Amino acid sequence: MLTVSDDLIRSVVKDVLSHMKRPPVANGKPASGHSGVFDDVNEAVAAASAAQKKFETMGLAERRKAVDCVRKICIDRAEELGRDELEETKIGRLAHKIDKLIVAGGKTPGVEWLETRAFSGENGVTLEEFAPFGVVGIITPVTHSLPTLAGNAINILAAGNALVCNPHPSGARIATKGTQLFNQAISKAIGLDNLITIIGKPTLESAQAIFDNRDVRLLCVTGGPAVGRAALRSPKRAIVAGPGNPPVVVDETADLDNAARCIVQGGAYDNNLLCIGEKEVFAVAAIFDELMETMTRHKAVRLDAGQIAKLSSAAFVKGEGGKLMVNKDLIGQDAAVLAKHAGLNVPGDTELVFGETEESHPFVDQEQMMPFVPFVRVPNVDTAIALAKKYEHGFKHTAIIHSRNVETITRMGREMDVTLFVQNGPCMAALGSGGEGYLSFSIATPTGEGVTTPLTFTRVRRTTTVGALRVV
Ligand code: NAD
């Protein structure tokens, strides 16, 4: 029999109270102390807007401090947060979840990007400066929930804005935890809460409410085609980081060992969840067999036609109108799991499975987001480039080539017309990992802003002094 003591009652009451939320809006004003987490979009936007108004007056040093809070948490707590993200989303690989947080914290551009432009001459001086918009609405994907939120937050805060996030429902817990940690640190550093706000239980309706809220001045959405279309239907400006299906071309001049190593590295990274990840290879016949052989020296296991057929029947399901769609259950799973579906046991540390397919195979056509990469044999590099263009589907996202022929590289770069074009490296080189440059997990493709930076989230304002202030 249960005996109810005073202590037990006290502890139950304490527990219940600790789970109750304080009313988010008191006397029409947002209450502080939420660490950014809200149920209601209007309340989240009101809180972010109130915080942003103060933030805007604070100056660049305070902005830098706020941004540094986000950076530091991403880097110092990468292991814990990466583990949490994997546990919740159940897709990808722990080492890369951790890596993504470290690079998001370390390589996303911040306040230093806000360099005033100056024009000086006999008529005086003109300055162009980068001003904030106010509150930016962001939508984040399940493939990199916290890294996308963190990178967006660094860019958006550096530009002097606040943000409201509708995360993917399957990555909402980690995004919420990150938001709370960021706000608590920012609050301690500069005395402002709710610069980063999030909808704790996100739905399509809450995303739409962000699109429709008049105080949200700008949208940044990262995800597949549906969310891009939804954001572009909104009357406000949208920065859309849309889907990709990055092709790789390998010609007869390529360093095959480097090509194989890079395809494995990029295609296996976080089990091929990256939108920039190597998704299909078009290799010329002259080197095709040697390239396939070389892949197996880099912890990739080749599947034969029967095994690919078995894997395909698990990896794709029929959607509307009988159209094949990627089976979500296999997205971001380990290569060894895919091999099992193909009827094969492979060592647990296998990075990638791969095999030869026809051009028309769904693994070529679809953005599979799993560590199986199809290789298509083509007669020459012209065909390879033409097929790369066809299966990139006009997303204008990412393409990769392995070649030592500068003329071929240049031609492919021109024909593909993509946002990121990588030569002789893995996809991540385009985001500063193993290549030069900076990073963001929101690469704006259809709307053209490219790899997002603080400048993406600013208004350009000009001030002109006539006939004075030029002192030279
Ligand atoms: P997804 O499209 O399923 O979801 C992305 C986000 O959009 C989620 O928050 C989801 O809840 C929301 N969403 C989906 N449909 C919506 C609608 N109609 N209205 C409002 N919100 C909606 O994508 P995912 O599986 O989370 O992420 C993978 C996709 O994102 C891939 O296609 C990948 O290429 C793309 N991606 C692109 C970039 C980039 O920088 N360009 C970066 C990461 C991922």
Side-chain angles (χ1 to χ4, degrees):
M1 200 176 82
L2 178 72
T3 47
V4 182
S5 67
D6 282 351
D7 279 348
L8 179 60
I9 292 171
R10 232 176 265 123
S11 118
V12 169
V13 169
K14 196 172 160 205
D15 194 42
V16 169
L17 284 177
S18 75
H19 284 88
M20 281 174 64
K21 289 214 269 103
R22 287 202 241 161
V25 176
N27 307 325
K29 288 197 187 118
S32 60
H34 290 282
S35 300
V37 184
F38 291 83
D39 287 337
D40 180 80
V41 166
N42 291 337
E43 287 164 4
V45 174
S49 186
Q52 193 274 335
K53 287 195 173 72
K54 292 186 194 146
F55 190 47
E56 195 172 348
T57 64
M58 280 179 148
L60 291 179
E62 303 301 280
R63 266 196 221 174
R64 199 169 273 118
K65 280 187 204 160
V67 167
D68 285 348
C69 290
V70 179
R71 294 192 191 283
K72 188 165 162 41
I73 287 163
C74 287
I75 294 168
D76 291 356
R77 298 179 70 162
E79 174 138 15
E80 169 204 342
L81 296 171
R83 202 174 285 280
D84 286 352
E85 176 143 352
L86 181 60
E87 257 173 45
E88 181 184 8
T89 62
K90 300 183 174 53
I91 54 175
R93 292 166 64 173
L94 180 60
H96 302 137
K97 297 284 180 228
I98 296 170
D99 186 54
K100 286 198 282 190
L101 283 165
I102 293 172
V103 293
K107 289 205 163 188
T108 306
V111 177
E112 70 284 356
W113 273 63
L114 305 173
E115 281 184 358
T116 302
R117 286 192 208 126
F119 306 85
S120 172
E122 62 271 28
N123 292 327
V125 170
T126 288
L127 300 179
E128 271 186 354
E129 302 200 271
F130 299 98
F133 273 92
V135 178
V136 181
I138 71 163
I139 307 280
T140 51
V142 66
T143 46
H144 352 279
S145 181
L146 187 55
T148 308
L149 168 61
N152 283 177
I154 291 172
N155 278 175
I156 289 169
L157 296 183
N161 304 290
L163 60 141
V164 55
C165 173
N166 203 64
H168 192 292
S170 306
R173 206 169 63 219
I174 179 63
T176 299
K177 178 172 174 177
T179 298
Q180 287 171 317
L181 292 173
F182 297 153
N183 274 303
Q184 284 154 11
I186 293 170
S187 185
K188 226 168 148 186
I190 65 166
L192 278 185
D193 195 10
N194 296 324
L195 276 176
I196 304 171
T197 59
I198 192 164
I199 306 307
K201 295 189 185 74
T203 58
L204 289 185
E205 289 71 33
S206 58
Q208 192 60 45
I210 290 177
F211 295 168
D212 293 342
N213 189 297
R214 289 182 57 164
D215 289 331
V216 173
R217 300 287 316 283
L218 187 65
L219 299 172
C220 178
V221 310
T222 307
V227 67
R229 278 195 300 271
L232 290 171
R233 276 198 299 271
S234 151
K236 54 186 59 114
R237 186 174 147 220
I239 295 153
V240 177
N245 191 35
V248 184
V249 165
V250 187
D251 79 1
E252 55 275 38
T253 69
D255 173 341
L256 295 186
D257 192 61
N258 184 59
R261 187 177 53 77
C262 293
I263 293 167
V264 172
Q265 201 184 338
Y269 188 90
D270 212 18
N271 285 342
N272 213 344
L273 291 181
L274 291 179
C275 57
I276 61 171
E278 285 80 349
K279 296 289 190 292
E280 66 275 347
V281 177
F282 302 101
V284 300
I287 49 84
F288 190 88
D289 293 327
E290 195 184 340
L291 176 64
M292 297 297 264
E293 179 57 34
T294 313
M295 288 287 293
T296 62
R297 293 205 290 270
H298 293 276
K299 292 199 180 158
V301 172
R302 182 171 183 173
L303 305 185
D304 64 25
Q307 290 161 339
I308 295 173
K310 268 194 197 159
L311 172 59
S312 305
S313 62
F316 297 96
V317 289
K318 283 213 169 107
E320 263 174 47
K323 191 176 182 297
L324 281 184
M325 288 168 42
V326 176
N327 176 0
K328 286 205 157 83
D329 292 346
L330 264 66
I331 287 178
Q333 299 309 307
D334 290 346
V337 172
L338 301 188
K340 267 219 171 71
H341 282 285
L344 189 68
N345 277 322
V346 299
D349 67 349
T350 300
E351 292 281 329
L352 194 74
V353 284
F354 71 102
E356 181 171 0
T357 71
E358 294 299 317
E359 161 215 332
S360 56
H361 198 283
F363 267 123
V364 176
D365 183 52
Q366 306 243 351
E367 186 191 19
Q368 76 268 31
M369 292 190 283
M370 58 185 85
F372 171 83
V373 175
F375 281 59
V376 179
R377 192 188 296 257
V378 293
N380 53 49
V381 76
D382 290 350
T383 312
I385 294 173
L387 290 179
K389 185 149 180 83
K390 176 174 175 187
Y391 288 104
E392 208 274 325
H393 298 307
F395 290 140
K396 296 192 187 296
H397 200 298
T398 299
I400 296 154
I401 186 168
H402 292 275
S403 171
R404 290 186 176 108
N405 185 328
V406 173
E407 192 272 328
T408 303
I409 293 173
T410 310
R411 187 151 49 85
M412 178 166 168
R414 289 194 180 140
E415 287 189 22
M416 294 303 297
D417 193 19
V418 282
T419 308
L420 304 179
F421 180 45
V422 184
Q423 303 105 50
N424 300 322
C427 63
M428 303 86 83
L431 294 182
S433 280
E436 294 303 323
Y438 58 91
L439 170 111
S440 161
F441 285 109
S442 295
I443 302 147
T445 37
T447 51
E449 293 82 357
V451 182
T452 52
T453 73
L455 297 182
T456 313
F457 302 97
T458 57
R459 296 166 54 223
V460 182
R461 293 181 53 197
R462 182 179 277 210
T463 164
T464 299
T465 306
V466 179
L469 288 186
R470 180 175 161 91
V471 295
V472 290

